[in-house]
Amino acid sequence: MGESCVSIQFDRDIQRAGTSSTKFDERLGIFGNANVMPLWVADMDFAAPAEVTHALIERATHPIYGYTLFPDSLYESLIDWLKLRHHWQVEREWIILSPGVVPSLTATIMALTQPGEQIIVQPPVYFPFFSAVTKTDRQLMLNPLRLVNERYTIDFDQLEQVGENARMLLFCSPHNPVGRVWSKSELEQLTEMASKNNWVIISDEIHADLVYPENQHHPLASLAENPENIITTIAPSKTFNIPGLHLSALIVPNKIHRAAITHFFDMIHVSAANPFSIVAFETAYREGAKWLDELMVYLKNTRDHVSAYLSEHLPCIQLIKPEGTYLLWLDCRALNMNDNQLKHFFVHEAEIGLSPGVLFGKKGSGFMRMNIGTPRHNIMAALENIRKAYNRIKIRSGKIL
Ligand SMILES: Cc1ncc(COP(=O)(O)O)c(C=O)c1O
């Protein structure tokens, strides 16, 4: 698909400051500088698919916003989406709806493991994976990813050792922040190791739809000979830029696991059904495919522009080229700054609000995560700011450019 036909909708600037947007309106608190260009928390500055907005407006015209249930059509929209986009046939009874993927991780840990039991995570990784383990008093086990030739892979040898007594693995697929879309053979190797060691895997597949055209996402459970020990978390939230509506799904083929997770949600009286989230969820899955295809063309071009810019103008920052997600993992180690200096450089010299790599674990030291879910001219301006700031500090420190 050509770029020109899709760029108009994604090039549009939409004012988000002043809308109680976390990304924009929390800048001062997070960065100590309200002027940074916000390229941090994982939502996008693009309008959601028009079909979703129209459906929400239509729902709002019915002036009663009472207690709400999950209609059959909602489940069907998810089942159809997974079948069409991911070639995965799930059963209606496997689905548990919940108010978000992070709460689902914690609920599943609480429901299926005991305090003190070992849970593996693979850093650098989305930081709530750590707190989901530690705040529930489970034991955190680390299986760091390996960076080889600018590409991250799973260290299966270390995983085998660290997982000897583990109960569970929190898996991120596609992976935030390193952008890997795991290959079929990596996923098969993982499911074999998990079944041999009797681990339960929570496969967080919230980024499953955000995969660049040359890659393919495979739901982990769809590849397993026996998916009974794999719980998948999925949502339209990242895909269609509706994360503020808070509705996600767990796919749980195992009946006993399902009962335990449902019991946990019942115990804390959480019901995710809200008249707006159900409308957005269903409409996005039913009518959002074209918008998503266009989005991925746009994001791919932005990713490639960043890559070219860095090679030409800022070779000291290396892009770990993502296969999926709108999050870029930037290797800034050649800037020769410690993590505090790196934060200071981006926030106060370049005035860009990125997520510091150390947030994702020690292995993220020297890296920064950049969210490119914004009109491309913002990203190009951000890169220019970084280049100018870098030149300024080089001049200040007396180095010739
Ligand atoms: C891997 C991963 N899981 C979960 C979430 C957040 O999910 P939710 O907002 O549904 O809790 C994010 C957001 O960035 C994420 O990257």
Side-chain angles (χ1 to χ4, degrees):
M1 194 184 308
E3 160 79 25
S4 55
C5 55
V6 305
S7 57
I8 298 166
Q9 61 175 325
F10 299 114
D11 277 340
R12 180 158 75 101
D13 280 310
I14 302 174
Q15 174 71 265
R16 295 187 69 194
T19 63
S20 302
S21 141
T22 302
K23 197 185 203 176
F24 284 75
D25 295 326
E26 237 180 53
R27 279 180 287 182
L28 185 60
I30 295 285
F31 298 102
N33 179 354
N35 296 321
V36 290
M37 184 188 293
L39 305 177
W40 61 294
V41 68
D43 68 19
M44 298 187 279
D45 303 333
F46 305 131
E51 293 83 352
V52 171
T53 304
H54 293 149
L56 285 169
I57 291 169
E58 195 182 316
R59 177 61 188 85
T61 60
H62 187 289
I64 299 175
Y65 312 118
Y67 292 122
T68 301
L69 49 75
F70 295 116
D72 288 341
S73 55
L74 181 93
Y75 290 89
E76 283 153 18
S77 69
L78 175 59
I79 292 168
D80 290 350
W81 180 263
L82 292 174
K83 192 170 167 190
L84 274 170
R85 291 296 281 208
H86 300 293
H87 316 291
W88 185 27
Q89 179 70 57
V90 310
E91 304 299 326
R92 152 81 193 248
E93 73 252 28
W94 297 357
I95 301 171
I96 300 173
L97 293 155
S98 83
V101 166
V102 174
S104 302
L105 302 179
T106 300
T108 306
I109 289 171
M110 294 291 284
L112 303 186
T113 67
Q114 296 298 321
E117 283 192 318
Q118 298 183 351
I119 302 182
I120 310 163
V121 304
Q122 300 175 303
V125 74
Y126 179 56
F127 46 90
F129 277 34
F130 302 114
S131 55
V133 176
T134 54
K135 287 196 175 161
T136 52
D137 294 325
R138 274 59 174 173
Q139 196 183 336
L140 186 66
M141 306 300 285
L142 300 181
N143 169 231
L145 299 176
R146 293 177 63 210
L147 180 56
V148 183
N149 297 333
E150 289 148 32
R151 191 160 187 258
Y152 282 87
T153 54
I154 296 171
D155 185 343
F156 282 104
D157 293 336
Q158 197 268 358
L159 180 58
E160 182 99 70
Q161 287 164 19
V162 86
E164 215 182 335
N165 299 308
R167 176 78 190 106
M168 184 178 265
L169 167 71
L170 297 190
F171 186 55
C172 196
S173 175
H175 193 282
N176 170 13
V178 308
R180 273 302 313 279
V181 174
W182 304 109
S183 68
K184 210 169 170 188
S185 67
E186 288 170 308
L187 296 170
E188 281 167 352
Q189 195 173 346
L190 188 69
T191 60
E192 276 163 31
M193 198 177 273
S195 69
K196 194 175 113 202
N197 289 281
N198 211 18
W199 303 326
V200 172
I201 300 186
I202 306 180
S203 188
D204 178 344
E205 302 190 10
I206 195 169
H207 296 283
D209 301 312
L210 296 161
V211 165
Y212 295 107
E214 64 272 19
N215 298 95
Q216 198 193 334
H217 171 77
H218 303 279
L220 183 71
S222 73
L223 299 178
E225 249 169 57
N226 176 4
E228 287 269 310
N229 272 342
I230 300 174
I231 290 153
T232 308
T233 54
I234 196 104
S237 54
K238 300 280 164 204
T239 312
F240 300 104
N241 205 27
I242 51 173
L245 294 174
H246 287 289
L247 181 53
S248 70
L250 294 114
I251 317 279
V252 191
N254 182 317
K255 202 172 162 184
I256 297 168
H257 291 171
R258 229 159 38 227
I261 296 167
T262 306
H263 174 72
F264 182 84
F265 282 126
D266 287 349
M267 195 172 71
I268 57 170
H269 299 277
V270 162
S271 163
N274 119 12
F276 294 107
S277 64
I278 62 169
V279 163
F281 184 111
E282 184 173 339
T283 310
Y285 278 144
R286 289 255 176 253
E287 298 174 39
K290 181 169 173 285
W291 180 93
L292 173 61
D293 292 339
E294 293 175 354
L295 171 75
M296 290 318 298
V297 172
Y298 189 84
L299 289 173
K300 178 185 181 298
N301 285 335
T302 303
R303 177 198 69 176
D304 294 345
H305 272 72
V306 174
S307 176
Y309 186 99
L310 293 178
S311 309
E312 193 178 341
H313 301 292
L314 277 167
C316 47
I317 299 179
Q318 176 77 49
L319 172 66
I320 305 295
K321 198 172 171 190
E323 297 162 344
T325 83
Y326 50 78
L327 305 165
L328 302 189
W329 190 234
L330 302 176
D331 183 349
C332 303
R333 289 175 298 176
L335 288 175
N336 285 322
M337 298 181 194
N338 66 32
D339 288 305
N340 282 335
Q341 290 168 331
L342 212 50
K343 267 191 238 175
H344 186 274
F345 169 71
F346 281 104
V347 171
H348 297 288
E349 297 281 352
E351 296 210 295
I352 311 293
L354 305 179
S355 305
V358 274
L359 216 81
F360 303 86
K362 277 193 203 133
K363 284 269 167 182
S365 176
F367 290 76
M368 299 297 279
R369 192 190 75 174
M370 176 190 269
N371 176 346
I372 57 164
T374 191
R376 188 171 310 129
H377 57 85
N378 290 335
I379 297 296
M380 299 322 286
L383 293 171
E384 274 292 292
N385 282 5
I386 298 169
R387 187 176 65 84
K388 285 185 193 148
Y390 185 61
N391 287 349
R392 275 198 310 273
I393 59 166
K394 293 269 264 188
I395 289 167
R396 279 208 301 270
S397 67
K399 291 191 185 136
I400 295 161
L401 296 169

